[in-house]
Amino acid sequence: MQYEKQDTTPSDDKYRWGDYIRPVRLTVWTWKICGLYNGEPQTQLYRAYRAVFTAILMVVYLFTLSLNIFVMQTFEQLVLYIMYIVFTEIVMALKALITYYKFDQLCDLYRKTLGSDFKPLDTEEEALHRKGVGEINYYVYPYIITTNLAVTSSLLYLLQEDYRLPYFPWLLGIEYGPAKPLNYRLLFGYQVIGMYFHMLINVAIDVQLSYLLGMISIQLDLIGKRFRSLHTSEQFRESFVTLMNQYQKVQRMTAEIEQLFSPAYFAQFGASGLVICASAFKASSMFNLYELTAIQNLLYMLSMMFQMFLPCRFGNEVTRKSHLLRTSIYSSRWYEMGLHERKTLRMLLQRMNKPLTLKAYYFFNYNLQAYTTTLNMAYSLYALLQRNALKKT
């Protein structure tokens, strides 16, 4: 049974989102809520909302958060604060800038995943496509749930009796505490809401990258299956140009994704080990039956591990499946083809010796080895901090 090859790329409506999987649609709502949606047309009301949101919930929030560096009491508090908060804020800001200023480029990448080149042609390819989409959902949904739980767990601070704020002490001279509980609740709500929007922006672009790399991985599966299906010289001559054009489109799309996301994920890869280490140290140093807020730190650490894992996992699949294309080509019945076709296949195998890889500024690889290296670095730093803490006690 053959599926008709139709181009379903949105052309009349450039920003139509109903055809995408649910995690992608959620990121679009995040763009709109966080004032990052830069598509046309935009109403004056939305422009005003974006200006107010940026001023109150982003600029003021990040500014006051950064000022708290100057009220850290000890050097260890300062180091942990920088590792725990500042690096994540830098990464979030870079992701927000990419989303806003590269909005049309992101939309173009999305539209390519709905084009005719990405559509399955038969029942076997349909099964491969469903499996690939299922894997995207399988990894993305736990990440979304964990990050939401991490922010929600900050409400555990309300169970404490010492009127602590969940993320940073307040610096602007506003008094809060048992004598002024209303001020405490207002500041508490402001910090939690600000961190929630911070989380939404981070999660949105992580989901976007996972989706795009996952769709490239699916496309490589489809190309590999089509190469394996070549049995005769006639089939080879009919399909070869189309298959090579598809592979070149995947190459260009991979390079475009690498270039687009490099600034944010260069910072992400550079900071993740330090943030995971700081989260683990903070959780372990306060973990006891009476310190419920340690749960927040554990969930935050798990969220950071997910955040690092997703690009590494999907980037690793792109590299692995592009390398497997050589096996797929060799698995065709090349031995039953003519001499000219066999020579062409040999040149193609030589050309594909180097698999597709993604790097953040040509330094950090998107693969599982980078993920394990980051975790090893985080554990080494954690062990060093624990040893120093034990010496002081």
Side-chain angles (χ1 to χ4, degrees):
M1 178 180 178
Q2 294 287 326
Y3 288 84
E4 229 180 271
K5 197 173 183 181
Q6 298 177 342
D7 190 350
T8 60
T9 301
S11 55
D12 298 332
D13 189 354
K14 184 177 181 181
Y15 303 112
R16 190 178 70 197
W17 303 104
D19 296 329
Y20 296 94
I21 62 176
R22 185 175 306 231
V24 171
R25 298 200 301 270
L26 290 175
T27 66
V28 176
W29 278 107
T30 298
W31 287 345
K32 294 178 178 179
I33 293 170
C34 296
L36 298 175
Y37 192 87
N38 202 19
E40 297 293 342
Q42 292 183 20
T43 64
Q44 291 296 325
L45 182 62
Y46 180 74
R47 293 177 188 273
Y49 165 78
R50 183 168 60 199
V52 172
F53 179 92
T54 303
I56 296 178
L57 285 171
M58 296 305 298
V59 175
V60 174
Y61 177 79
L62 294 178
F63 178 70
T64 53
L65 189 150
S66 302
L67 285 179
N68 280 272
I69 293 177
F70 301 103
V71 299
M72 297 294 103
Q73 297 177 359
T74 66
F75 178 74
E76 284 187 357
Q77 284 182 328
L78 176 62
V79 172
L80 284 174
Y81 185 83
I82 293 174
M83 292 168 62
Y84 190 67
I85 297 293
V86 174
F87 287 137
T88 59
E89 300 305 322
I90 292 172
V91 173
M92 184 276 294
L94 287 172
K95 290 179 179 179
L97 290 172
I98 288 172
T99 301
Y100 184 79
Y101 288 105
K102 301 292 185 179
F103 188 84
D104 284 335
Q105 189 177 355
L106 274 170
C107 292
D108 288 339
L109 287 170
Y110 274 140
R111 288 201 305 277
K112 289 177 183 177
T113 65
L114 295 183
S116 58
D117 291 333
F118 278 75
K119 295 298 181 183
L121 300 179
D122 55 37
T123 52
E124 183 181 350
E125 292 187 6
E126 187 75 22
L128 289 172
H129 191 275
R130 282 197 303 269
K131 180 182 177 183
V133 171
E135 287 180 354
I136 296 172
N137 290 327
Y138 178 82
Y139 288 103
V140 164
Y141 278 123
Y143 175 49
I144 295 174
I145 293 170
T146 303
T147 51
N148 276 273
L149 287 175
V151 176
T152 305
S153 64
S154 61
L155 298 177
L156 292 172
Y157 279 84
L158 295 175
L159 301 178
Q160 306 291 326
E161 298 179 354
D162 53 0
Y163 288 86
R164 275 187 296 168
L165 292 173
Y167 295 107
F168 50 91
W170 196 252
L171 188 69
L172 300 182
I174 302 176
E175 297 182 4
Y176 60 91
K180 296 185 177 179
L182 179 60
N183 287 355
Y184 172 74
R185 294 189 186 97
L186 290 174
L187 295 177
F188 189 97
Y190 182 76
Q191 287 194 12
V192 172
I193 292 171
M195 188 57 69
Y196 188 75
F197 284 115
H198 164 281
M199 178 273 294
L200 285 178
I201 293 171
N202 263 311
V203 169
I205 203 161
D206 292 334
V207 171
Q208 292 161 16
L209 178 60
S210 299
Y211 169 77
L212 292 171
L213 294 182
M215 294 305 292
I216 287 177
S217 180
I218 293 172
Q219 180 70 355
L220 291 171
D221 280 335
L222 300 185
I223 294 173
K225 178 264 175 186
R226 292 166 190 174
F227 269 116
R228 290 193 300 272
S229 301
L230 299 180
H231 295 163
T232 65
S233 296
E234 290 75 16
Q235 288 178 334
F236 179 86
R237 287 192 293 270
E238 290 174 359
S239 304
F240 179 73
V241 174
T242 301
L243 289 174
M244 287 308 302
N245 286 336
Q246 288 178 327
Y247 182 72
Q248 288 172 354
K249 288 178 182 178
V250 169
Q251 280 184 313
R252 289 193 295 269
M253 188 173 176
T254 303
E256 187 176 355
I257 291 172
E258 179 184 70
Q259 182 182 23
L260 177 64
F261 290 96
S262 272
Y265 283 91
F266 178 80
Q268 179 77 69
F269 280 86
S272 289
L274 298 176
V275 175
I276 292 170
C277 164
S279 303
F281 180 77
K282 193 173 180 183
S284 63
S285 63
M286 69 191 332
F287 192 82
N288 57 68
L289 294 176
Y290 303 100
E291 192 66 66
L292 296 176
T293 51
I295 297 173
Q296 180 196 29
N297 291 280
L298 290 174
L299 287 170
Y300 186 79
M301 180 180 66
L302 186 59
S303 299
M304 289 302 303
M305 293 173 69
F306 259 122
Q307 190 176 50
M308 181 70 182
F309 175 74
L310 288 178
C312 290
R313 193 271 174 188
F314 286 103
N316 191 82
E317 284 297 286
V318 170
T319 300
R320 184 180 69 86
K321 290 182 179 180
S322 65
H323 184 73
L324 286 177
L325 271 182
R326 299 180 77 251
T327 304
S328 298
I329 294 170
Y330 192 77
S331 298
S332 66
R333 295 186 182 178
W334 55 268
Y335 46 86
E336 296 181 1
M337 299 179 189
L339 180 61
H340 176 72
E341 287 75 24
R342 280 182 281 171
K343 287 183 177 180
T344 304
L345 282 174
R346 183 178 178 181
M347 289 188 293
L348 180 59
L349 288 171
Q350 291 175 342
R351 179 180 176 181
M352 291 185 174
N353 270 331
K354 185 179 180 181
L356 299 178
T357 57
L358 293 101
K359 291 184 178 181
Y361 279 145
Y362 307 99
F363 190 76
F364 295 109
N365 287 296
Y366 292 54
N367 57 33
L368 294 177
Q369 184 179 357
Y371 179 68
T372 55
T373 300
T374 301
L375 292 186
N376 286 334
M377 182 188 73
Y379 178 77
S380 299
L381 289 171
Y382 167 76
L384 179 62
L385 290 173
Q386 283 287 77
R387 186 162 55 247
N388 291 337
L390 290 174
K391 285 181 181 179
K392 291 184 179 181
T393 56

